[in-house]
Amino acid sequence: MTKGFKVGRILGIEIHLDWSWFLIFMLVIWNLGVTFGDYHADWSLVLQWGLALLAALLFFSSVLAHELAHSVVAQSRGIPVRSIKLHLFGGVSNIQRDPDSPGSEFWMAIVGPVTSLVLGFLLLGIAGSGSQTLRSVQNPAEVISNLRPVPMMLMWLGSVNIILGVFNLIPGFPLDGGRVLRSILWSLMGDLQAATRWASRVGQSFAWLMIFGGVSMTFGSQIPFFGTGVMNGLWLIFIGWFLNSASIQSYQKVVVQDILEGVPVQRMMRTDPPTVAPDVSIDGLVHEHVMGSDDHAFPVLDEGRLVGIVTLDDIRGVPKAKWEKTRAEEIMTPRESLTIVSADSDADHAMTELSGLDVRLLPVVRGEELVGVLRRRDIIRWLQLESEA
């Protein structure tokens, strides 16, 4: 999983924008600008598009607030959160591990939709919608035509936040509602894997309902909140496909964690990785190591001590004309910036680190000494052997 474009840090959590976010951001601005123009032709273009830009920024700020709520509760339960990424479908918190109890799962999941709902009704209240609240959620365009700029923007923001909260409460794993369902099943069954399996099946069922609903919309059917038409139908099909894939992958992740739990890293690590000296030139590194193997990263050792790792990406960042005079220690990632595991660490923890950091290799050390490396392919090979056994 790529981290995307880093924009800042809140409460110690890095905030990233996936490149797909820029697409949805522009689409939201375009949709709002056109909608505002349709209902208020007397407004200037600067007002229409300026309001659309501000509304889009505030909307994604509320999506960020939704994810921050998840993250803050996770941190309060002792679960690390490395980052939050906003993307095409909203946002996702990079929570480092699953909660250790049904109660933690429940509160971590429910707080996101509750945050969106509270924000939504608060914004509608500020907009002075009164009895218009329900109608504005069902069809915002029906209400906003008679509103002034600021109340209209708040009305739209309130409506979409309520829709966001309600949608996330759908009991389709891995949506928040699906995680609430999993926490309840987990509490009743006492088995996280079984609870995840059933929550995943419910999630896939809802996904297929969305897909069938989207198909029917393309043929003229009217579905509440989603409308009708080819474009709306295709969008719903796309969301259903995404939910189905995410549900399957989330269950597979839990199965993998269950297999790896309690298995020490030393049982699957590579004990004889190719290493390089700090003073080796990039030219020597390429011809003596890179060209003779399929490795993408090389630990850098100084008298047996791990001092860093140099990767193919590091090499690509140096012009070829400078390869002879540039040494590995000048371009490597230093030890202090590396995520390191011990030989006794659980493999499921190492797998989480590999996934969360978007790296292919983790150094395995004992004190200052490098005793091996753990690669994604090593874990995959272990899983294949376990599945065939």
Side-chain angles (χ1 to χ4, degrees):
M1 180 180 64
T2 56
K3 290 184 176 180
F5 179 71
K6 181 179 176 180
V7 294
R9 182 186 294 266
I10 301 177
L11 301 176
I13 303 169
E14 292 184 356
I15 311 300
H16 297 268
L17 299 179
D18 185 77
W19 298 113
S20 65
W21 177 85
F22 293 95
L23 171 62
I24 193 65
F25 181 65
M26 296 306 297
L27 287 175
V28 169
I29 293 175
W30 175 261
N31 180 266
L32 287 175
V34 171
T35 300
F36 293 164
D38 288 343
Y39 284 92
H40 293 278
D42 56 316
W43 289 0
S44 68
L45 290 177
V46 173
L47 179 58
Q48 291 175 24
W49 293 101
L51 197 66
L53 173 62
L54 179 59
L57 289 171
L58 290 175
F59 168 63
F60 285 105
S61 296
S62 65
V63 173
L64 178 59
H66 177 114
E67 294 303 324
L68 278 171
H70 288 307
S71 299
V72 168
V73 173
Q75 290 180 327
S76 72
R77 301 273 170 163
I79 303 174
V81 181
R82 181 167 283 119
S83 64
I84 292 173
K85 181 166 68 173
L86 301 183
H87 54 75
L88 180 66
F89 296 100
V92 60
S93 299
N94 186 5
I95 298 174
Q96 292 303 287
R97 59 179 173 83
D98 279 328
D100 53 10
S101 70
S104 293
E105 170 88 315
F106 177 85
W107 291 114
M108 284 170 56
I110 198 68
V111 70
V114 168
T115 299
S116 294
L117 290 172
V118 169
L119 276 174
F121 284 108
L122 180 63
L123 289 167
L124 288 177
I126 295 173
S129 58
S131 61
Q132 304 269 22
T133 296
L134 180 60
R135 191 154 59 94
S136 70
V137 173
Q138 294 175 331
N139 189 359
E142 192 176 300
V143 176
I144 63 177
S145 58
N146 297 317
L147 294 175
R148 296 180 64 81
V150 173
M152 184 181 71
M153 180 183 68
L154 294 177
M155 178 72 72
W156 179 82
L157 283 169
S159 300
V160 295
N161 268 283
I162 291 173
I163 292 172
L164 177 65
V166 171
F167 179 79
N168 271 279
L169 283 174
I170 293 175
F173 192 77
L175 293 177
D176 295 334
R179 293 188 178 276
V180 170
L181 173 62
R182 183 173 76 161
S183 72
I184 296 171
L185 294 174
W186 185 6
S187 179
L188 294 174
M189 306 169 88
D191 185 334
L192 176 60
Q193 184 171 326
T196 305
R197 180 171 63 250
W198 283 103
S200 176
R201 288 175 179 173
V202 174
Q204 291 174 61
S205 298
F206 272 100
W208 281 108
L209 283 175
M210 289 182 183
I211 292 172
F212 289 134
V215 171
S216 66
M217 286 168 61
T218 62
F219 288 98
S221 297
Q222 179 83 25
I223 297 180
F225 298 112
F226 295 104
T228 187
V230 174
M231 291 305 299
N232 288 339
L234 290 175
W235 183 244
L236 189 58
I237 290 171
F238 192 39
I239 293 175
W241 169 80
F242 178 80
L243 177 58
N244 184 64
S245 299
S247 185
I248 293 172
Q249 291 173 7
S250 296
Y251 174 61
Q252 291 173 340
K253 178 183 176 182
V254 171
V255 172
V256 167
Q257 289 176 335
D258 190 57
I259 294 173
L260 296 178
E261 186 176 6
V263 179
V265 166
Q266 62 186 359
R267 295 189 63 181
M268 58 185 70
M269 70 182 185
R270 182 180 180 183
T271 58
D272 59 342
T275 61
V276 299
D279 58 354
V280 67
S281 68
I282 297 181
D283 190 66
L285 173 61
V286 169
H287 291 95
E288 295 173 19
H289 297 280
V290 175
M291 299 304 295
S293 72
D294 59 354
D295 292 288
H296 293 78
F298 302 87
V300 182
L301 302 185
D302 185 6
E303 297 182 354
R305 295 183 303 105
L306 177 70
V307 294
I309 284 183
V310 60
T311 69
L312 292 186
D313 289 336
D314 297 327
I315 295 172
R316 294 189 188 103
V318 180
K320 194 171 183 179
K322 297 183 178 181
W323 280 10
E324 288 188 9
K325 295 184 179 181
T326 305
R327 297 176 299 173
E329 62 184 353
E330 297 177 52
I331 63 170
M332 71 181 185
T333 301
R335 178 186 172 121
E336 309 83 65
S337 302
L338 297 174
T339 297
I340 297 172
V341 296
S342 68
D344 297 327
S345 298
D346 278 357
D348 63 327
H349 167 72
M351 183 66 173
T352 300
E353 294 290 353
L354 280 168
S355 302
L357 292 172
D358 192 30
V359 295
R360 300 186 183 187
L361 174 151
L362 290 177
V364 184
V365 300
R366 183 176 291 112
E368 295 290 322
E369 179 189 1
L370 180 76
V371 295
V373 296
L374 182 68
R375 303 167 299 177
R376 292 186 184 185
R377 72 180 80 170
D378 300 322
I379 298 178
I380 293 172
R381 185 179 298 114
W382 173 272
L383 292 172
Q384 291 173 335
L385 290 173
E386 286 294 305
S387 64
E388 293 171 1

